[in-house]
Structures are given as C-alpha cells and as structure tokens.
Amino acid sequence: MKKLFLLLFILVSSSLTFKAQAQVSVNINIGAQPAWGPTGYDYVDYYYLPDIESYYYVPKRQFIYLSSGNWVFTTALPPRYSGYDLYNGYKVVINSPRPYRYFETHKVKYAKFKGNHGQLVIGKSKGPKYSPAKGNAKVYRGDKGKPSPHFNKGNGNGKGHGNGKGKH
C-alpha cells in the first residue's frame, strides 16, 4: 500500500511540475534595424514610409514599393525617390506579416504623418541601447551611384508620435 501511495504521489507531483513550466520568448532585433529607423522599438518587422507610400522589411533589409501595379522587393529605392531623406521621413512600425496587402488601409490611416519630420532616429540617439544599430547607416545611392543630397540629414528633435506598441 505504501508503494502505491508513493507511486501516486510521484505521478501527481511530476505532473504539477510540468504544468508549472513556462516558455518565455523575447525577440530583439535592434542590431538589424537601420540607423534611420525610429527609436523606441526592440523589435521591428516592417516600417511603412507614408511620404513615399512604401515599406521597408527589416530582417531582409528590403524596400517594398509599387511599380506598375506590382510590389517590388529590392535593397534600394527607385530613382524617383532618390531625393527622399530616410532619416528625416516618418516611419510607422508594423509588426504583422506582409503588411503591403493592406496598403490601401495604411495609405489612408497614416496619411496624417506625411511631411512629419519630428521622429528621433537610432543613428542620432544618444542611448547605448542602439549602439549595435548605429553601424547600419548605409548611404542610399541612386542609379547613377551618387549619394542622395538629402540622405543623413534631419533635425532629430525627438518628437515622434508612434505609440511604441508594435502592431498597427
């Protein structure tokens, strides 16, 4: 009888042990974010760029924009955006898969951020948290190989309007 009680006790206590275990997963991709990305986010999948109605996919470092009705995935912006200042333009963080499927919604929802130049970017942040990403400053070069005259400029006054919650 004691052996049966002991066996039952071991089974019950081991099942309680398995139930008490929790899985904790923390995703951080600060080092993968470009220096022109906004501060305040430990993890980012996509940025929506309202000024040029385009997206940037952080993990693959790809711009996504419409061209002749098709989405183009490339590491550089097209020549028509060669004067666009990534450091100065507003970025909306979107952490959902393939957000360009909802482009028509984003275009309307985030139109209010067009021309907003008050977001603090990682490359101009003084915090040590972003030091791994500060090395991700890559000068955009158009088709002719010349750096954009407006790239890497911006006021960096830190008055961004993102809510920092990740999903939009």
Side-chain angles (χ1 to χ4, degrees), residues 1 4-5 11 67 76 101 113 124 133:
M1 186 72 169
L4 183 61
F5 179 71
L11 285 172
S67 180
R101 295 178 301 167
F113 294 114
K124 296 183 183 219

PDB file of all heavy atoms in Angstrom, residues 1 4-5 11 67 76 101 113 124 133:
ATOM      1  N   MET A   1       0.814  -1.190   0.000  1.00  0.00           N
ATOM      2  CA  MET A   1       0.000   0.000   0.000  1.00  0.00           C
ATOM      3  C   MET A   1       0.867   1.266   0.000  1.00  0.00           C
ATOM      4  O   MET A   1       0.520   2.228  -0.665  1.00  0.00           O
ATOM      5  CB  MET A   1      -0.917  -0.059   1.230  1.00  0.00           C
ATOM      6  CG  MET A   1      -1.907   1.036   1.269  1.00  0.00           C
ATOM      7  SD  MET A   1      -3.141   0.732   0.003  1.00  0.00           S
ATOM      8  CE  MET A   1      -4.320   1.882   0.410  1.00  0.00           C
ATOM      9  N   LEU A   4       2.175   1.941  -3.495  1.00  0.00           N
ATOM     10  CA  LEU A   4       1.143   2.512  -4.357  1.00  0.00           C
ATOM     11  C   LEU A   4       0.946   3.993  -4.053  1.00  0.00           C
ATOM     12  O   LEU A   4       0.843   4.820  -4.955  1.00  0.00           O
ATOM     13  CB  LEU A   4      -0.175   1.736  -4.167  1.00  0.00           C
ATOM     14  CG  LEU A   4      -1.330   2.175  -5.046  1.00  0.00           C
ATOM     15  CD1 LEU A   4      -0.981   2.009  -6.519  1.00  0.00           C
ATOM     16  CD2 LEU A   4      -2.582   1.404  -4.702  1.00  0.00           C
ATOM     17  N   PHE A   5       0.909   4.328  -2.759  1.00  0.00           N
ATOM     18  CA  PHE A   5       0.765   5.723  -2.354  1.00  0.00           C
ATOM     19  C   PHE A   5       1.969   6.549  -2.826  1.00  0.00           C
ATOM     20  O   PHE A   5       1.815   7.658  -3.336  1.00  0.00           O
ATOM     21  CB  PHE A   5       0.608   5.810  -0.829  1.00  0.00           C
ATOM     22  CG  PHE A   5       0.469   7.219  -0.329  1.00  0.00           C
ATOM     23  CD1 PHE A   5      -0.685   7.953  -0.561  1.00  0.00           C
ATOM     24  CD2 PHE A   5       1.522   7.836   0.343  1.00  0.00           C
ATOM     25  CE1 PHE A   5      -0.801   9.263  -0.117  1.00  0.00           C
ATOM     26  CE2 PHE A   5       1.405   9.157   0.781  1.00  0.00           C
ATOM     27  CZ  PHE A   5       0.239   9.858   0.544  1.00  0.00           C
ATOM     28  N   LEU A  11       3.673  10.570  -9.321  1.00  0.00           N
ATOM     29  CA  LEU A  11       2.956  10.918 -10.550  1.00  0.00           C
ATOM     30  C   LEU A  11       2.272  12.277 -10.444  1.00  0.00           C
ATOM     31  O   LEU A  11       2.340  13.101 -11.354  1.00  0.00           O
ATOM     32  CB  LEU A  11       1.926   9.840 -10.907  1.00  0.00           C
ATOM     33  CG  LEU A  11       2.482   8.554 -11.491  1.00  0.00           C
ATOM     34  CD1 LEU A  11       1.380   7.517 -11.609  1.00  0.00           C
ATOM     35  CD2 LEU A  11       3.104   8.812 -12.840  1.00  0.00           C
ATOM     36  N   SER A  67       5.234  49.369 -58.318  1.00  0.00           N
ATOM     37  CA  SER A  67       5.718  49.807 -59.614  1.00  0.00           C
ATOM     38  C   SER A  67       4.869  49.127 -60.680  1.00  0.00           C
ATOM     39  O   SER A  67       4.847  47.895 -60.746  1.00  0.00           O
ATOM     40  CB  SER A  67       7.199  49.437 -59.784  1.00  0.00           C
ATOM     41  OG  SER A  67       7.656  49.877 -61.045  1.00  0.00           O
ATOM     42  N   ALA A  76      17.330  48.825 -52.664  1.00  0.00           N
ATOM     43  CA  ALA A  76      17.467  50.272 -52.858  1.00  0.00           C
ATOM     44  C   ALA A  76      16.141  50.848 -53.346  1.00  0.00           C
ATOM     45  O   ALA A  76      15.357  50.173 -53.999  1.00  0.00           O
ATOM     46  CB  ALA A  76      18.559  50.571 -53.873  1.00  0.00           C
ATOM     47  N   ARG A 101      -0.183  44.014 -48.128  1.00  0.00           N
ATOM     48  CA  ARG A 101      -1.517  43.517 -48.522  1.00  0.00           C
ATOM     49  C   ARG A 101      -2.605  44.496 -48.076  1.00  0.00           C
ATOM     50  O   ARG A 101      -3.699  44.510 -48.610  1.00  0.00           O
ATOM     51  CB  ARG A 101      -1.800  42.153 -47.907  1.00  0.00           C
ATOM     52  CG  ARG A 101      -0.888  41.047 -48.413  1.00  0.00           C
ATOM     53  CD  ARG A 101      -1.199  39.740 -47.733  1.00  0.00           C
ATOM     54  NE  ARG A 101      -1.028  39.892 -46.289  1.00  0.00           N
ATOM     55  CZ  ARG A 101      -1.447  39.026 -45.376  1.00  0.00           C
ATOM     56  NH1 ARG A 101      -2.062  37.934 -45.738  1.00  0.00           N
ATOM     57  NH2 ARG A 101      -1.237  39.240 -44.106  1.00  0.00           N
ATOM     58  N   PHE A 113       0.785  61.427 -41.306  1.00  0.00           N
ATOM     59  CA  PHE A 113       2.203  61.519 -40.968  1.00  0.00           C
ATOM     60  C   PHE A 113       3.073  61.985 -42.134  1.00  0.00           C
ATOM     61  O   PHE A 113       4.285  62.149 -41.974  1.00  0.00           O
ATOM     62  CB  PHE A 113       2.720  60.172 -40.450  1.00  0.00           C
ATOM     63  CG  PHE A 113       2.098  59.775 -39.140  1.00  0.00           C
ATOM     64  CD1 PHE A 113       1.281  58.663 -39.072  1.00  0.00           C
ATOM     65  CD2 PHE A 113       2.311  60.512 -37.994  1.00  0.00           C
ATOM     66  CE1 PHE A 113       0.694  58.287 -37.872  1.00  0.00           C
ATOM     67  CE2 PHE A 113       1.734  60.153 -36.790  1.00  0.00           C
ATOM     68  CZ  PHE A 113       0.917  59.031 -36.731  1.00  0.00           C
ATOM     69  N   LYS A 124      20.855  58.913 -34.479  1.00  0.00           N
ATOM     70  CA  LYS A 124      21.076  60.175 -33.767  1.00  0.00           C
ATOM     71  C   LYS A 124      20.748  60.045 -32.286  1.00  0.00           C
ATOM     72  O   LYS A 124      20.769  61.020 -31.552  1.00  0.00           O
ATOM     73  CB  LYS A 124      20.237  61.275 -34.406  1.00  0.00           C
ATOM     74  CG  LYS A 124      20.673  61.541 -35.831  1.00  0.00           C
ATOM     75  CD  LYS A 124      19.912  62.672 -36.454  1.00  0.00           C
ATOM     76  CE  LYS A 124      20.360  62.805 -37.891  1.00  0.00           C
ATOM     77  NZ  LYS A 124      20.485  64.133 -38.337  1.00  0.00           N
ATOM     78  N   ALA A 133      22.981  49.170 -33.696  1.00  0.00           N
ATOM     79  CA  ALA A 133      22.308  49.555 -34.940  1.00  0.00           C
ATOM     80  C   ALA A 133      22.909  50.801 -35.574  1.00  0.00           C
ATOM     81  O   ALA A 133      22.669  51.074 -36.745  1.00  0.00           O
ATOM     82  CB  ALA A 133      20.825  49.786 -34.683  1.00  0.00           C
TER      83      ALA A 133
END
